[in-house]
Amino acid sequence: MTLLSLWAVSVVLSGVALLIMIGLILGRFVSQRRQDDLSQQRKTLLPLLLGDAGDEVIHDASVKRSPILRDLSIELIQLVRGEERQQLIATATRLGVAESIRKVLAKGTTRARVVAAETLADFPDEFTTDALHRALEDRNDGVRLAAALALASSDRAPPAQTLVQLLDLGMREQSMLIVALFQEIARSSPAEIRSLIDDQISPPKVKAAAIEALSASGDYSLVPSIVQLALKADPYGEELPRYLRSLGAFQHPAGSPAIVQWLSAPTWWVRTAAAEAAGRIGLQETQSTLVDLLDDPDWWVRFRAGEALVRLGAEAQQLLAKVAATGSQRASSAARLTLAEQAVQA
Amino acid sequence: MIEWEIGAIVAAKIVAWIVIGTGLLQTSFYLIQLLFAGASLSQRPPVANANLLWRRYAGHAPPIALLAPAYNEEVTIVESVNSLLALHYPEFEVIVINDGSKDGTLERLIEHFGVERVERFYDRTVDHQEIRGLYATPRLPRLLVVDKVNGGKSDALNAGINVARSPLFCSIDADSLLESDALLRAVRPFIEKPDEMVAVGGTIRLANGSSIEGGRVQKVALPRNFLALVQIVEYLRAFLMARLALSRMQALTVISGAFGLFRRRLVLEVGGYSHGTVGEDMELVIKLHRHMRDKKRPYRIDFIPEPVCWTEAPEDLTILGRQRARWQRGALETLAKHRDMLFNPKYGRIGFLGFGQILVVDVLGPLIEVIGYVLVPVLWAVGLLSVDYLFAFLAITFTFGIFVSVATLILEEVELRRFPRARDLVVLTSVAVLENFGYRQLSNFWRLRGFWQFLRKQEGWGTMTRKGFTKA
């Protein structure tokens, strides 16, 4: 490398750094001025949007192609509730806000498309519904899920089975928001989500999410299906604890066979979930197994077993006191501290 | 020409090519990191406002235990805990671990928050010094104070992990301030990829010069102290360039101890934080990589720039020097302990990219630079050095450093924009130029001191004086 080329590289690097700096500062001044203009427009538009101003007045007040009307409308729609919200949505739709967001959903950057899909949940017109349906086939996972959530939150989602296929739920898409999606759908169509549980080809993660989504519904007819799934589940998998926790959430004694079976699972996370569910349901027949679990090598299992015994009532609490006095060091410590922590006088 | 002269010239050429080769390698690393960081920032998920985050994640966000080890923090502890308790997150507990403080840290906590001694059943999976007592109050169900015998930061964190009951824990420094929605932002990867996500790190920024009120950074401003200013530039390079890029490459080797979110179960599986190292944060991440790769389980360790944690940077040469020597020692201890991972195909990109970065940037970089500083006058004295080439190489080294710093400012300006005034950009660029003349050399000297401490197997953290954050 010649001396001249070394200096040339230094000069180029310095020049580029200087240009970047000048660019950043100029960019800052331009964006600051733009920000000031937008703030001014916000101040003008805010009372108009909240008051009774006509569409033309609002339209004239917002500079052409300015995103301020869109952003301010979205902000206000998310802030208010009830009739006022509906009025704001209607006004924004008439003024082309929904149309502008739909354009972003179709042609924006990935980040912009995700935000657009989330925002369109508030606009129930048919064009928006079509745009969101198209977004279910977007190339980006995040956009697809956002569109599905937006459609589901306004009862416009396609059948759950279709969503599972389009979004590859439970396989490629594993977000915990799948439960939120199913909960939204279950508000209006619980049978669709129920069918996912019974469907042989649904991925285990979809079944687990469907069960969690329905576990707050109080539909006890689901319990036998969950028990069957739990009895056949892989004790080393991540789904079984979710099934057991859902059985605990139903608090129905019909969940007993699965819970009793998995209290002696080879994996600690399954034993933990089973112990917790036993306590929640109040399965008295699990008392002696729970007492044994107070000496489990894993702390979480001992903790949940102690907690469950407290939940099972006076008789189980007496057992806890007995273990505290006469059990092995590990079991005794678990029992004594559980009683102390739960302030139980056994 | 006599024989020894020929030998000296050959030796000088070899040294020169080693120095140039290492420099080029380091430069390539930085350029690649810049590209990856830029791509990562431009493609990151949208930065939602706090309300939207809450609406989106609140129902599904797993509980988090915030672990705040405290040693002699009586000046700042109440404000720090208040700030933690005020975080916006659906379900969390704040576990303050008083690591045998010699000042009134525990007394301040008891007096201010009214906590009383309680019994709680806790795990003993990972080792730590004896817990003397647990303190809580029904009035603040989210707060738990652990009082234990002094054992160092990693020991205190291990105690916190054992006592915690949440599936995720967040390690933070008791003297740091988290932005109110930092947890909601940091938990996103755990919600989106629940089966794979092992740990997530967030950005640490320096609060020196900014005004703080009620445990929150109210107004971001630059400090007047030159050392603090240089550290702001360094932190921007470290977080907005290096960590973001390595995260994108899935080769992140460190999550700062000041703010990191971890899956508790997996940290227990690797035995928690290691004792006897000052680089416990880096070591934990390496252990997690090793564990997951040994088990052949798919996993991710990510860095996301938005969840911001503010901390106080030392403004005093002695304390800063001690901190930098400690960081260097920590990196070397980790590299030595896990040396079998270096360039080992079994560990894939961690062995090559992650460990390669530590080797070139943290180990060889300062060493070679200092060797260069020592050899220059010697070689010049014996007539083996071309002064023209020396200045040309020095100019390249410095201008490239400036270029990297300014390029990092682009990422900051375009994607995050936390500095409110255009003037701040000019100041930071000037600092990026000035740091090459004096600070850079001093920093290398501190790192060499870390090398020396590592070779002498020195232990301990040294003293770090807390003065508390500047009030608004």
Side-chain angles (χ1 to χ4, degrees):
Chain A
M1 199 177 255
T2 65
L3 200 60
L4 198 64
S5 59
L6 286 176
W7 280 107
V9 172
S10 287
V11 170
V12 169
L13 282 172
S14 319
V16 171
L18 189 67
L19 281 176
I20 290 172
M21 205 53 245
I22 293 169
L24 285 181
I25 291 168
L26 287 177
R28 178 63 82 98
F29 281 123
V30 171
S31 69
Q32 192 57 53
R33 177 170 280 192
R34 191 164 173 267
Q35 201 60 43
D36 291 344
D37 285 350
L38 290 177
S39 300
Q40 194 51 49
Q41 286 182 51
R42 267 179 81 94
K43 280 183 192 156
T44 316
L45 272 174
L46 191 62
L48 299 178
L49 273 170
L50 289 174
D52 294 326
D55 292 357
E56 275 182 32
V57 178
I58 299 172
H59 195 265
D60 290 346
S62 62
V63 175
K64 204 177 178 186
R65 289 204 299 269
S66 161
I68 193 69
L69 176 64
R70 183 185 70 203
D71 295 346
L72 190 57
S73 303
I74 294 165
E75 220 174 284
L76 290 173
I77 287 166
Q78 286 172 354
L79 272 179
V80 298
R81 290 284 173 269
E83 201 179 319
E84 205 175 0
R85 179 185 166 91
Q86 296 311 318
Q87 276 177 5
L88 273 169
I89 290 171
T91 308
T93 308
R94 282 197 310 276
L95 289 166
V97 169
E99 190 187 344
S100 147
I101 304 172
R102 287 198 298 268
K103 280 180 187 161
V104 176
L105 181 63
K107 290 181 181 165
T109 61
T110 303
R111 291 162 64 183
R113 296 205 304 282
V114 171
V115 175
E118 282 171 348
T119 312
L120 285 175
D122 292 321
F123 295 88
D125 61 277
E126 59 184 296
F127 300 109
T128 300
T129 307
D130 290 345
L132 283 169
H133 274 270
R134 280 193 298 276
L136 289 174
E137 296 183 48
D138 193 281
R139 61 187 176 278
N140 180 273
D141 299 345
V143 179
R144 291 202 296 272
L145 186 58
L149 282 162
L151 286 167
S153 70
S154 45
D155 301 335
R156 295 177 282 172
Q161 198 65 260
T162 311
L163 281 178
V164 170
Q165 284 164 10
L166 277 176
L167 277 67
D168 206 5
L169 297 181
M171 302 301 281
R172 184 187 165 99
E173 179 60 73
Q174 305 214 349
S175 169
M176 288 164 77
L177 294 180
I178 297 175
V179 179
L181 175 64
F182 288 170
Q183 278 171 339
E184 292 284 7
I185 297 173
R187 278 189 300 110
S188 54
S189 323
E192 272 187 39
I193 303 302
R194 172 73 190 261
S195 70
L196 293 175
I197 300 171
D198 299 328
D199 189 347
Q200 295 294 321
I201 58 161
S202 292
K205 281 191 168 55
V206 166
K207 286 182 193 285
I211 287 169
E212 279 176 9
L214 291 172
S215 59
S217 68
D219 178 4
Y220 297 121
S221 68
L222 276 168
V223 174
S225 301
I226 303 173
V227 169
Q228 285 311 310
L229 279 172
L231 286 171
K232 290 179 204 156
D234 174 11
Y236 293 90
E238 298 285 338
E239 285 75 38
L240 181 52
R242 295 173 75 178
Y243 298 153
L244 294 171
R245 277 195 291 272
S246 296
L247 287 174
F250 275 110
Q251 299 186 348
H252 195 282
S256 172
I259 289 159
V260 169
Q261 174 174 316
W262 293 123
L263 278 172
S264 49
T267 46
W268 66 265
W269 59 88
V270 175
R271 295 198 298 278
T272 304
E276 186 182 2
R280 282 182 179 277
I281 301 174
L283 294 175
Q284 297 296 337
E285 68 267 33
T286 60
Q287 273 185 22
S288 65
T289 317
L290 289 171
V291 167
D292 292 343
L293 289 180
L294 288 171
D295 200 21
D296 194 280
D298 189 87
W299 176 84
W300 270 110
V301 181
R302 299 198 296 278
F303 172 62
R304 291 294 182 207
E307 202 180 53
L309 284 163
V310 171
R311 281 194 170 129
L312 290 185
E315 192 185 328
Q317 289 166 10
Q318 290 296 334
L319 285 173
L320 260 177
K322 193 176 163 196
V323 174
T326 61
S328 67
Q329 193 189 356
R330 192 161 61 186
S332 162
S333 169
R336 183 182 65 76
L337 285 166
T338 303
L339 288 168
E341 188 180 329
Q342 307 270 343
V344 176
Q345 302 286 328
Chain B
M1 194 180 278
I2 53 176
E3 210 167 284
W4 73 268
E5 280 181 324
I6 299 170
I9 291 171
V10 172
K13 276 188 177 171
I14 292 171
V15 171
W17 279 112
I18 291 175
V19 171
I20 292 168
T22 315
L24 285 175
L25 208 57
Q26 214 169 351
T27 307
S28 323
F29 254 120
Y30 286 144
L31 282 177
I32 293 169
Q33 283 182 356
L34 267 178
L35 292 175
F36 270 81
S40 184
L41 269 180
S42 65
Q43 288 170 19
R44 75 191 202 281
V47 184
N49 64 38
N51 287 340
L52 189 60
L53 278 173
W54 185 272
R55 217 173 57 185
R56 194 191 293 161
Y57 295 142
H60 306 277
I64 295 176
L66 283 154
L67 309 185
Y71 179 70
N72 293 347
E73 309 269 3
E74 75 172 324
V75 179
T76 55
I77 195 69
V78 168
E79 189 175 26
S80 300
V81 173
N82 272 330
S83 142
L84 293 176
L85 288 170
L87 289 174
H88 296 170
Y89 194 78
E91 204 179 335
F92 68 98
E93 57 179 343
V94 177
I95 301 179
V96 184
I97 309 117
N98 176 45
D99 189 31
S101 297
K102 290 175 185 150
D103 67 356
T105 303
L106 180 66
E107 290 71 24
R108 283 285 291 141
L109 288 164
I110 293 173
E111 176 199 8
H112 187 87
F113 295 104
V115 287
E116 291 172 2
R117 200 168 176 129
V118 293
E119 293 238 53
R120 172 158 152 148
F121 180 34
Y122 58 85
D123 202 348
R124 290 177 191 272
T125 303
V126 288
D127 280 343
H128 54 78
Q129 293 285 338
E130 184 200 344
I131 290 180
R132 293 189 288 225
L134 301 170
Y135 297 81
T137 171
R139 200 173 57 81
L140 292 168
R142 283 186 163 158
L143 176 64
L144 179 70
V145 176
V146 178
D147 180 38
K148 66 178 277 291
V149 174
N150 179 261
K153 190 179 172 190
S154 49
D155 194 73
L157 284 167
N158 279 349
I161 295 168
N162 271 347
V163 170
R165 286 179 181 172
S166 306
L168 303 181
F169 75 83
C170 178
S171 67
I172 55 156
D173 284 345
D175 64 317
S176 300
L177 300 175
L178 286 187
E179 295 206 338
S180 59
D181 49 7
L183 290 179
L184 268 176
R185 294 183 194 282
V187 84
R188 178 179 53 77
F190 284 97
I191 291 176
E192 288 177 356
K193 298 196 184 301
D195 293 347
E196 290 181 14
M197 201 52 64
V198 170
V200 167
T203 302
I204 314 294
R205 298 188 82 122
L206 299 182
N208 303 54
S210 300
S211 47
I212 317 280
E213 200 178 354
R216 294 272 172 269
V217 174
Q218 300 295 345
K219 191 178 167 202
V220 178
L222 290 180
R224 287 170 188 274
N225 180 287
F226 179 73
L227 280 182
L229 279 169
V230 180
Q231 289 175 79
I232 287 180
V233 175
E234 284 183 320
Y235 272 59
L236 285 177
R237 277 198 302 258
F239 286 95
L240 280 190
M241 185 183 78
R243 297 206 187 167
L244 198 56
L246 287 169
S247 163
R248 174 96 175 173
M249 298 173 196
Q250 275 302 293
L252 194 64
T253 52
V254 62
I255 285 177
S256 170
F259 183 65
L261 203 53
F262 295 87
R263 200 171 284 286
R264 179 180 177 273
R265 176 161 63 95
L266 289 168
V267 173
L268 288 176
E269 279 180 25
V270 300
Y273 287 91
S274 298
H275 291 84
T277 176
V278 286
E280 77 291 327
D281 42 7
M282 178 187 252
E283 222 261 320
L284 177 65
V285 176
I286 299 294
K287 282 201 295 186
L288 288 167
H289 278 298
R290 180 190 277 275
H291 181 68
M292 300 306 281
R293 287 196 174 250
D294 283 346
K295 298 257 176 200
K296 296 187 169 41
R297 278 150 68 175
Y299 74 103
R300 290 186 69 85
I301 295 181
D302 278 359
F303 169 83
I304 40 178
E306 291 85 16
V308 172
C309 170
W310 296 90
T311 192
E312 164 208 8
E315 295 185 354
D316 170 277
L317 276 176
T318 314
I319 298 171
L320 180 61
R322 223 177 273 155
Q323 183 197 56
R324 293 308 158 94
R326 198 175 62 234
W327 286 1
Q328 181 69 20
R329 188 155 44 106
L332 291 170
E333 283 168 354
T334 305
L335 188 70
K337 194 170 174 184
H338 298 276
R339 58 187 174 278
D340 60 312
M341 291 174 75
L342 180 65
F343 302 137
N344 184 342
K346 183 182 170 190
Y347 297 103
R349 58 185 80 187
I350 298 305
F352 285 91
L353 287 172
F355 273 70
Q357 144 99 10
I358 300 174
L359 182 71
V360 173
V361 177
D362 293 331
V363 180
L364 294 178
L367 210 57
I368 297 283
E369 194 163 328
V370 171
I371 288 173
Y373 293 141
V374 173
L375 280 182
V376 162
V378 176
L379 294 177
W380 177 75
V382 295
L384 289 175
L385 182 83
S386 156
V387 176
D388 291 345
Y389 269 94
L390 167 72
F391 282 118
F393 270 113
L394 272 181
I396 283 205
T397 311
F398 290 172
T399 49
F400 182 73
I402 295 164
F403 168 76
V404 167
S405 302
V406 174
T408 311
L409 279 178
I410 307 180
L411 303 179
E412 154 70 25
E413 182 67 3
V414 174
E415 296 295 335
L416 302 174
R417 191 173 288 194
R418 292 294 180 115
F419 298 110
R421 298 173 306 179
R423 210 179 75 186
D424 296 338
L425 299 174
V426 181
V427 173
L428 290 174
T429 309
S430 314
V431 171
V433 176
L434 288 175
E435 70 169 334
N436 288 291
F437 306 99
Y439 178 80
R440 183 180 175 136
Q441 292 72 23
L442 199 54
S443 171
N444 279 318
F445 166 71
W446 290 329
R447 293 171 81 171
L448 273 195
R449 201 160 67 187
F451 245 108
W452 181 242
Q453 291 170 354
F454 165 70
L455 293 173
R456 292 183 58 206
K457 300 192 187 320
Q458 186 173 322
E459 290 187 1
W461 280 59
T463 314
M464 174 83 185
T465 313
R466 298 283 182 224
K467 63 178 177 60
F469 286 104
T470 315
K471 305 287 180 201

